[in-house]
Amino acid sequence: MTSGKILVVGGGPAGLFFSILARRALPSAVVHVRERNPRGVTYGWGVAFTESAAAALRPAAPDVVDALTTNTRHDRMVISLDGTGVPVQVGGSHLNARWALLDTLEKFALEAGVTVEHDCDTAVTEDDLADWDLVVGADGVNSTTREQFARHFRPSVELGSNWLAWYGTPKPYPPSIILQNSEHGILMVHASGFSAEMSNFTVEVGQETFDKLGFADLTEDESRELCERLFAGSLNGAPLRSDHSPWFRTKFVRCAHWTHRNLVLIGDALHTVHPSIGSGTRFAMRDAVYLTEALAGAGWDVEVGLKEFERVRKPVADAFQAAAKRSIDWYEGLPSRTITHPTKFALEYLMRTGRVSYRDFRRENREVVLGYERELR
């Protein structure tokens, strides 16, 4: 396929980034993106790029990555237990409003000559597989493409046991984990400012706490108001805002097979990590890089390129998913525990995936750790 037709299903980070890379690598190709949402419509609040994520993506499209890393930057985190905060040094991260990130990616795609169709049917048909040289399913964690061809991809989807609701708030927050022991059980928030005006505020609770607080019987607005009351001490009067923010349980997606004929899945349609390790957008966009490199290396022979994509990408992706699974298990074990020491909690939190050692943490946060070690003597 020295020239040809590429259909991308899904206008999220994975699909748009792949369309940019593919069009730049193969300027003679027709690259078309189908997205179910109207232009400018998305759900959720801010998304993060760590410095390491930006460094990994930058060689593929330096101008695009630079445009995505000019906004809010953080290199410190606050881990709080019952109102006592422990500030720690962490790797730098850039945060963007999700809608701004998608708008930036779409602008680059259009400039590269990609066509983008919004508010349309994204179901992939057998006719699509016949009409297009390559079809890329990038339609997210609830992928209809994955489900339509489930007998070929053989997906497994595990629902997490904790419940989450993703709100925004005008209160500025550094990246924060806020843990509260309460009569209803452990209450947790993941907060982070992604612009001068807004922060993420994602509430997470276990099933027992979810049931005790009666969230299943509340409307979206009632849930938001109750969360404002539960976290009033942290919010200091700031409101929570909803953007289609129902309670949900995370989906941990794996696929036994990544391709079917000239169809391939990427991003959350193929495999997920977990919001707690902050790598979902990076994970999806790295799929786009690996796929483009595999196809280009195969001279755009689709059959050869797709096999190479799975061969090279899968071991790396499996390692990320293993770290994500350890993080999920740690979070889902919190409701059964009694947590009383903020520094000990901070240590456990940062070492939960096995990717940060005690030595690493001690080197970056010497005073915090020395204070804790003195307490243990």
Side-chain angles (χ1 to χ4, degrees):
M1 186 179 74
T2 53
S3 63
K5 297 168 62 182
I6 300 172
L7 173 64
V8 179
V9 180
L16 287 172
F17 199 51
F18 172 75
S19 73
I20 295 165
L21 300 181
R23 177 69 182 176
R24 289 180 175 184
L26 196 64
S28 59
V30 172
V31 182
H32 183 70
V33 176
R34 291 180 188 162
E35 166 55 40
R36 69 170 65 91
N37 288 330
R39 183 166 187 187
V41 173
T42 188
Y43 301 107
W45 298 93
V47 293
F49 276 103
T50 63
E51 294 281 15
S52 61
L57 293 168
R58 186 170 280 108
D63 54 337
V64 177
V65 175
D66 287 347
L68 297 176
T69 54
T70 58
N71 292 331
T72 305
R73 184 186 184 281
H74 299 284
D75 60 9
R76 290 187 69 78
M77 184 176 197
V78 177
I79 300 174
S80 174
L81 174 64
D82 294 331
T84 300
V86 178
V88 294
Q89 189 75 29
V90 294
S93 61
H94 303 268
L95 284 95
N96 294 267
R98 179 173 166 80
W99 53 87
L101 178 141
L102 294 178
D103 184 60
T104 298
L105 288 173
E106 184 162 333
K107 285 178 180 176
F108 276 103
L110 295 173
E111 289 170 5
V114 176
T115 57
V116 181
E117 181 183 5
H118 283 275
D119 201 14
C120 63
D121 183 2
T122 58
V124 175
T125 66
E126 290 291 340
D127 286 343
D128 287 324
L129 299 187
D131 293 343
W132 297 86
D133 296 299
L134 172 65
V135 180
V136 179
D139 47 346
V141 67
N142 298 313
S143 170
T144 56
T145 306
R146 184 184 66 236
E147 296 311 309
Q148 283 173 262
F149 295 91
R151 67 189 183 94
H152 300 289
F153 294 122
R154 290 175 50 202
S156 68
V157 180
E158 297 176 47
L159 280 178
S161 63
N162 285 359
W163 289 90
L164 297 91
W166 188 9
Y167 301 113
T169 179
K171 179 181 175 180
Y173 278 97
S176 303
I177 296 294
I178 302 162
L179 198 74
Q180 291 181 192
N181 290 292
S182 79
E183 61 183 306
H184 313 289
I186 287 179
L187 308 170
M188 180 181 288
V189 165
H190 313 254
S192 54
F194 60 85
S195 72
E197 299 81 25
M198 290 295 292
S199 296
N200 291 308
F201 197 90
T202 303
V203 180
E204 180 169 357
V205 296
Q207 182 69 60
E208 185 176 351
T209 299
F210 184 84
D211 293 339
K212 283 182 178 179
L213 288 164
F215 281 121
D217 299 321
L218 302 183
T219 66
E220 193 172 309
D221 276 345
E222 288 169 340
S223 285
R224 177 184 52 76
E225 290 168 359
L226 177 52
C227 287
E228 284 179 346
R229 295 195 296 273
L230 291 170
F231 291 98
S234 175
L235 288 165
N236 294 327
L240 293 181
R241 293 179 181 168
S242 178
D243 180 17
H244 186 65
S245 302
W247 288 99
F248 66 95
R249 291 187 288 169
T250 57
K251 291 183 177 180
F252 193 67
V253 177
R254 299 183 181 97
C255 288
H257 302 294
W258 291 21
T259 67
H260 167 58
R261 291 166 48 191
N262 59 330
L263 170 63
V264 61
L265 299 178
I266 63 173
D268 284 352
L270 173 62
H271 45 204
T272 59
V273 279
H274 188 258
S276 66
I277 67 170
S279 298
T281 303
R282 174 242 187 110
F283 195 55
M285 292 173 69
R286 284 291 283 166
D287 280 351
V289 175
Y290 274 84
L291 179 57
T292 307
E293 290 177 346
L295 289 163
W300 291 90
D301 180 312
V302 171
E303 181 179 359
V304 174
L306 296 190
K307 287 180 180 177
E308 182 67 2
F309 166 61
E310 183 169 353
R311 184 189 73 81
V312 175
R313 177 60 171 154
K314 191 173 188 303
V316 182
D318 286 350
F320 262 87
Q321 284 204 296
K325 192 66 172 68
R326 289 191 292 272
S327 187
I328 292 169
D329 291 344
W330 185 85
Y331 275 100
E332 294 185 350
L334 284 177
S336 64
R337 297 175 54 201
T338 300
I339 301 170
T340 59
H341 197 293
T343 306
K344 185 174 184 291
F345 173 62
L347 284 164
E348 289 185 13
Y349 171 77
L350 289 170
M351 295 191 296
R352 72 197 183 283
T353 67
R355 296 164 69 193
V356 175
S357 69
Y358 185 82
R359 179 180 294 178
D360 294 333
F361 182 85
R362 196 179 194 277
R363 184 178 61 249
E364 296 296 327
N365 300 277
R366 184 173 174 78
E367 293 306 313
V368 171
V369 175
L370 286 176
Y372 177 61
E373 290 174 346
R374 281 193 293 268
E375 291 181 32
L376 297 180
R377 290 174 190 158

